[in-house]
Amino acid sequence: MKLSLSTGSIYKWAGKLDDLITLCRDNIKIDGIELMFANKEILETTRLTAKNARWLKALSHVTLHAPVKIIMNSIDENDIEIQLKKLEYIYNSINAKAIIFHVTNLPKLETLNKFNFKFIIENTTIKGKINLIEFNKIINNYNCDICLDVSHAFTWSAKEAQKYWQKLSSHIFQIHLSSSRGNHEHLPMSNLDKDYKKSIGFLGLINKPFVIESDYNDKNINFLNKDLNFINSYFF
């Protein structure tokens, strides 16, 4: 299995995405990185240094996360395509494996098909109101793989993530991994409680990349590495 880290987990640690990449490059041992573009402004202004681009290309699992509200916050279809073109450029420049889109903000299939990148779709929390049945219909329509976010699934039920695995195992490209407790999502994995531990027990059977998407709000390299070590010992 490969272990990757989303830059969204440490977005408060630096003002620029390239600086977050440098932090990861210099301070943690990881198989991959997911570049999180929270909004189109970050996407438009991101520039990668040559050193960081080379480091990303050398990693075994690099993915991009499209702006979370790429449809909602776009002016028109042309605005969406401009963002997709920038994503495609970054994707090709660092040999990324896929671009993730939230199912609640999904470009039209005919629009995505204009571009040369692999796209995958991420499941939503209960607030997104797209359940497994509807999600499955969308996956079949788009004929694509998925990013299974276990913390999102847990907001529906303790057994929801396993239901996704049972229904869509052949489509799982990667896992978004973080802990969850009550209404709190994306907690560090070292915060596991017995209910959540039980809900993700099946993950040990999945040989797919795990992308850590916990919120590490305070800049603490030691705690981040401690959490990564916990994940490695727990799953690997």
Side-chain angles (χ1 to χ4, degrees), residues 42-201:
I42 293 174
L43 176 61
E44 289 168 354
T45 58
T46 290
R47 302 290 183 274
L48 301 181
T49 60
K51 187 174 183 178
N52 281 341
R54 285 195 301 270
W55 180 69
L56 290 169
K57 286 179 75 171
L59 296 175
S60 60
H61 189 76
V62 174
T63 49
L64 312 183
H65 197 306
V68 175
K69 297 182 179 179
I70 189 169
I71 304 300
M72 189 181 302
N73 290 346
S74 293
I75 300 168
D76 53 25
E77 194 68 23
N78 184 60
D79 191 17
I80 294 168
E81 292 195 17
I82 289 171
Q83 293 171 72
L84 293 176
K85 189 175 292 185
K86 179 64 181 287
L87 287 167
E88 182 182 50
Y89 172 78
I90 297 172
Y91 173 95
N92 288 325
S93 68
I94 59 175
N95 295 337
K97 302 294 186 185
I99 300 178
I100 297 97
F101 294 88
H102 277 191
V103 68
T104 49
N105 260 260
L106 193 56
K108 297 174 183 176
L109 179 58
E110 54 265 35
T111 301
L112 289 171
N113 284 338
K114 294 179 181 179
F115 297 89
N116 185 29
F117 55 69
K118 178 181 177 66
F119 63 87
I120 60 176
I121 302 177
E122 181 179 348
N123 57 302
T124 182
T125 67
I126 195 169
K127 292 179 182 178
K129 300 180 180 179
I130 297 178
N131 61 24
L132 175 54
I133 294 172
E134 292 301 316
F135 187 81
N136 187 40
K137 290 178 182 177
I138 293 168
I139 295 305
N140 287 333
N141 184 40
Y142 276 70
N143 190 28
C144 66
D145 291 331
I146 73 169
C147 172
L148 172 56
D149 189 307
V150 292
S151 187
H152 288 176
F154 193 72
T155 65
W156 290 85
S157 77
K159 296 182 179 180
E160 200 71 15
Q162 188 165 357
K163 290 178 182 177
Y164 270 84
W165 174 56
Q166 291 168 340
K167 185 77 173 177
L168 294 166
S169 60
S170 63
H171 289 280
I172 294 176
F173 183 79
Q174 67 174 29
I175 305 293
H176 267 175
L177 184 66
S178 61
S179 186
S180 189
R181 183 176 296 170
N183 295 323
H184 301 287
E185 307 162 46
H186 300 300
L187 300 174
M189 283 297 292
S190 51
N191 284 349
L192 275 178
D193 65 15
K194 62 179 183 179
D195 291 333
Y196 193 70
K197 188 183 294 186
K198 188 176 180 180
S199 78
I200 62 170

